[in-house]
Amino acid sequence: QLVESGGGSVQAGGSLKLSCAASGYTFSDYCMAWFRQAPGKEREWVARISVFDTTFYSDSVKGRFTISRGNAESTLYLQMDSLKPEDTAMYYCAAQVGGACYVLQPKYSYWGQGTQVTVS
């Protein structure tokens, strides 16, 4: 199970930190990722972190967002700085078993319910 929190409304240029609490599996064995879906658009990948703590970012958030993981507390984080109105979306965390850490959505076995981020 994955449960996101930390979403909300913020003005452009502001910051938010999302969290994703995982349970029911060995968190450290899974690649973790954040995806987002804006109204009327397809869900898109934002960032991912491998079991080796290697991080990857989409071009649209590189330099502004930071993904991290706390294996001891089985929690994934997304620090979002310099937020823009185009970052407005429902944000989802997802888990993929193993070390490959693909970006493709079908590779992810577990998904959270999402947390809304609104930037005005």
Side-chain angles (χ1 to χ4, degrees):
Q1 183 181 11
L2 298 174
V3 179
E4 302 95 337
S5 62
S9 296
V10 65
Q11 290 189 337
S15 299
L16 282 174
K17 185 172 184 177
L18 306 183
S19 299
C20 170
S23 61
Y25 67 94
T26 305
F27 182 76
S28 58
D29 289 344
Y30 281 70
C31 162
M32 299 297 298
W34 288 98
F35 291 80
R36 68 186 180 185
Q37 187 169 21
K41 295 187 177 181
E42 292 187 352
R43 188 164 57 188
E44 65 175 0
W45 166 70
V46 175
R48 68 191 192 276
I49 183 167
S50 76
V51 298
F52 309 110
D53 285 346
T54 305
T55 57
F56 308 86
Y57 298 92
S58 68
D59 288 343
S60 61
V61 307
K62 194 175 298 182
R64 300 188 298 120
F65 290 10
T66 303
I67 190 171
S68 62
R69 64 190 300 160
N71 287 340
E73 61 268 34
S74 297
T75 302
L76 176 72
Y77 303 99
L78 185 68
Q79 175 66 44
M80 305 186 295
D81 299 317
S82 302
L83 283 161
K84 303 175 181 180
E86 51 263 44
D87 294 318
T88 295
M90 184 73 76
Y91 283 71
Y92 301 89
C93 64
Q96 173 187 158
V97 67
C101 208
Y102 297 107
V103 69
L104 298 172
Q105 294 185 41
K107 294 292 186 179
Y108 290 83
S109 305
Y110 304 119
W111 291 82
Q113 294 299 306
T115 185
Q116 178 68 39
V117 172
T118 303
V119 185
S120 59

